[in-house]
Amino acid sequence: MSYNNNNYYGSNQNMQQGYPYQQQQQQQGGYNYQPQQPYPPQGYPQQVQQGYPPQYAQQQAYYSQQPGYQQQPQQGYQQHDSQQQFYPPPSHPPPSFNQATHPSSAPTPQSAPPLQHDYNAQAPHYNPAPDVQDIIKATKGFGTDEKTLIRVLAKKTPAELEILKPAFENVRGKSLRHVIDKETSGNLHDALLQIVAGPLGADVENAHRALDGAGTNEGMLNDVVLSRSNADLNTLKGIYRQRHSRPLEKDIADDLSMKTKTLFEIVLNASRMEEWIPVDPNKVNNDVQDLYRATQGRVGTDELLVCSILASRSDAHLRAVADQYYGRYSKKLVQVIDSEFSGHMKKALAYIVKCAVNRPTCYAEMLEDCMAGLGTKDKLLIERVVRYHWDPAMLMHIKQAYKNVYGKDLISRVKGETSGDYERLMVAMLS
């Protein structure tokens, strides 16, 4: 259990600070949170669904033109249909909502904001020519200059990558992915390919990788699918189907079983309560009662009821539920999940709740999980470091949360688990 015993959301110091990342997101208009008292309580950390930072560039024009981009209704769980047809994108896909750049666009309970889409981006002022030449020199002739590849690629934003890749191919005559694939190997190779793929491409690849072969990489599948915005899920499903010629929903359903399969069906419907919707105290109260009756208040567990609540509510709503549940029954919601569930279902539900309550701490735990015990889960560590490094503001708070929880520096911890050029790349992304 990672939460500080003195406070459900962490230390009192953290509560007073209120997590600057979450405050920044609200000030920048990640969503317009208008709580109805008494939710959330004073000092309650506020945060948005975290997929990727809103300043992702260039990708909006590409991603929003892919099949599968559609808005889902908000009435909660609907019966999953693996044969669902993907509609063509709208002619004007809704942009990522940003009050800083669109101050007059602040949503109200009466008017919904543009659909939140974490894969979106704004084009930066970036000249790729020097980087193109550096990569060509680093991969030309005998041997590869890995240090140059790390220097050029480790800190590139997704927006810059979407400019760099076609520029490189125009000059070199081969794709950047092809060159990296040929010129590198091992964990460095895997990490660089994740970077070059970009946020959406990496998600599609990781979803397929998590389901491919014998068994399921549960941690990777949770990272890609759970606690995501509806817009992200719809885009992810569309691109996955385009690249693999079959629905992501069907591949996941074929890989999972029983109630865990149902949980992911609910999630993949992409009908989760949006973050801009104000927290309703009555609905919070009802969910708290239903969760208790489905778990502690009965013999056995009503797993479907718990899944339907946790998978379809917004982070803001779940934070209020977790707070009221603890206040009423003196037990943390994640502890209830730990005692009532097992296996993949337990990990998935705990991930949803932890992301809602305190996302930086949840991500810090996910990183430690890759390194704890005998041997390092390198594929999972690579996936998570690449994922988190796209958002520098979130990464800063992940590192602070890691230090608060484990009493050590995250970068030093990663250094101890990696070596050589692989270590240098991981450290560069985390720095």
Side-chain angles (χ1 to χ4, degrees):
M1 181 61 60
S2 67
Y3 299 111
N4 188 303
N5 291 330
N6 296 327
N7 189 286
Y8 187 83
Y9 302 104
S11 68
N12 292 330
Q13 180 180 6
N14 287 340
M15 284 291 291
Q16 293 168 359
Q17 292 175 345
Y19 284 100
Y21 170 80
Q22 297 153 2
Q23 293 175 346
Q24 291 169 8
Q25 290 294 324
Q26 184 187 14
Q27 292 167 1
Q28 293 173 0
Y31 66 100
N32 184 28
Y33 182 55
Q34 299 178 346
Q36 302 178 19
Q37 293 300 326
Y39 305 108
Q42 185 176 5
Y44 208 9
Q46 298 177 1
Q47 60 191 42
V48 297
Q49 291 175 344
Q50 177 61 28
Y52 300 108
Q55 59 268 32
Y56 276 8
Q58 222 43 20
Q59 299 181 359
Q60 176 181 353
Y62 174 75
Y63 297 155
S64 60
Q65 291 171 9
Q66 307 306 319
Y69 186 90
Q70 58 176 316
Q71 185 169 6
Q72 297 287 346
Q74 299 299 317
Q75 285 77 32
Y77 174 53
Q78 299 176 351
Q79 182 62 36
H80 170 66
D81 178 8
S82 61
Q83 303 301 319
Q84 175 184 1
Q85 296 298 313
F86 289 89
Y87 298 99
S91 57
H92 300 287
S96 180
F97 180 70
N98 190 329
Q99 189 173 343
T101 55
H102 303 285
S104 63
S105 301
T108 68
Q110 291 74 34
S111 61
L115 184 63
Q116 182 69 28
H117 198 296
D118 291 331
Y119 290 122
N120 286 348
Q122 301 297 323
H125 299 289
Y126 166 62
N127 176 16
D131 288 335
V132 168
Q133 293 303 319
D134 285 346
I135 296 173
I136 290 175
K137 292 177 183 177
T139 56
K140 189 176 182 180
F142 181 75
T144 302
D145 183 353
E146 288 88 353
K147 292 183 178 62
T148 295
L149 294 179
I150 293 170
R151 175 181 60 78
V152 172
L153 296 174
K155 305 298 286 186
K156 283 288 174 290
T157 68
E160 291 168 341
L161 284 169
E162 290 306 306
I163 296 174
L164 173 62
K165 288 188 288 187
F168 180 88
E169 188 165 358
N170 286 340
V171 175
R172 182 70 172 81
K174 297 179 180 179
S175 70
L176 179 58
R177 178 182 178 83
H178 174 84
V179 171
I180 296 297
D181 185 43
K182 180 181 177 182
E183 297 292 335
T184 60
S185 61
N187 290 323
L188 175 68
H189 164 272
D190 294 344
L192 287 175
L193 286 183
Q194 292 259 323
I195 293 172
V196 171
L200 176 56
D203 271 355
V204 172
E205 291 178 4
N206 288 326
H208 184 260
R209 185 176 293 113
L211 302 168
D212 193 33
T216 305
N217 189 324
E218 297 171 358
M220 190 173 292
L221 185 63
N222 292 349
D223 288 348
V224 174
V225 174
L226 300 180
S227 195
R228 303 298 297 269
S229 69
N230 296 330
D232 271 6
L233 285 173
N234 285 325
T235 302
L236 175 64
K237 290 188 295 183
I239 304 303
Y240 185 97
R241 182 164 186 165
Q242 181 190 53
R243 293 187 183 178
H244 298 289
S245 301
R246 56 186 181 272
L248 174 61
E249 302 97 305
K250 187 176 188 307
D251 280 358
I252 290 179
D254 289 345
D255 226 52
L256 304 181
S257 61
M258 302 175 67
K259 303 294 175 54
T260 307
K261 173 182 173 180
T262 302
L263 170 63
F264 277 80
E265 287 179 344
I266 298 172
V267 170
L268 288 166
N269 274 317
S271 56
R272 189 182 182 199
M273 183 187 297
E274 297 286 358
E275 291 298 328
W276 54 268
I277 298 176
V279 174
D280 184 336
N282 293 325
K283 292 181 180 179
V284 169
N285 181 65
N286 290 339
D287 283 347
V288 169
Q289 292 180 351
D290 286 344
L291 286 170
Y292 179 79
R293 292 168 182 161
T295 55
Q296 291 180 269
R298 58 171 286 166
V299 177
T301 305
D302 188 342
E303 297 176 341
L304 288 179
L305 179 57
V306 176
C307 290
S308 66
I309 293 173
L310 298 184
S312 61
R313 306 299 191 259
S314 66
D315 284 354
H317 182 95
L318 289 177
R319 283 196 296 277
V321 168
D323 179 73
Q324 188 177 126
Y325 194 100
Y326 182 69
R328 186 177 301 179
Y329 302 113
S330 300
K331 193 168 185 178
K332 301 170 187 176
L333 195 51
V334 288
Q335 291 177 323
V336 174
I337 292 170
D338 187 61
S339 61
E340 297 284 338
F341 294 88
S342 62
H344 189 190
M345 173 77 82
K346 179 170 76 173
K347 294 177 183 178
L349 293 175
Y351 183 87
I352 291 171
V353 172
K354 289 180 179 182
C355 278
V357 170
N358 190 323
R359 196 175 290 268
T361 297
C362 177
Y363 286 174
E365 289 180 351
M366 294 299 102
L367 289 171
E368 175 61 22
D369 180 65
C370 300
M371 300 179 283
L374 184 63
T376 304
K377 303 180 185 73
D378 289 301
K379 292 187 183 301
L380 204 53
L381 181 62
I382 290 169
E383 179 261 318
R384 287 172 177 166
V385 170
V386 172
R387 174 182 300 278
Y388 303 156
H389 102 286
W390 296 126
D391 187 346
M394 174 59 80
L395 180 60
M396 178 180 68
H397 296 290
I398 293 171
K399 291 191 287 187
Q400 184 60 54
Y402 187 92
K403 189 170 185 179
N404 291 343
V405 174
Y406 299 104
K408 60 184 76 171
D409 178 69
L410 175 59
I411 292 179
S412 298
R413 180 76 168 101
V414 171
K415 281 183 176 181
E417 297 291 325
T418 56
S419 62
D421 291 319
Y422 172 40
E423 174 192 335
R424 278 186 277 273
L425 176 58
M426 301 298 275
V427 169
M429 285 190 286
L430 292 171
S431 299

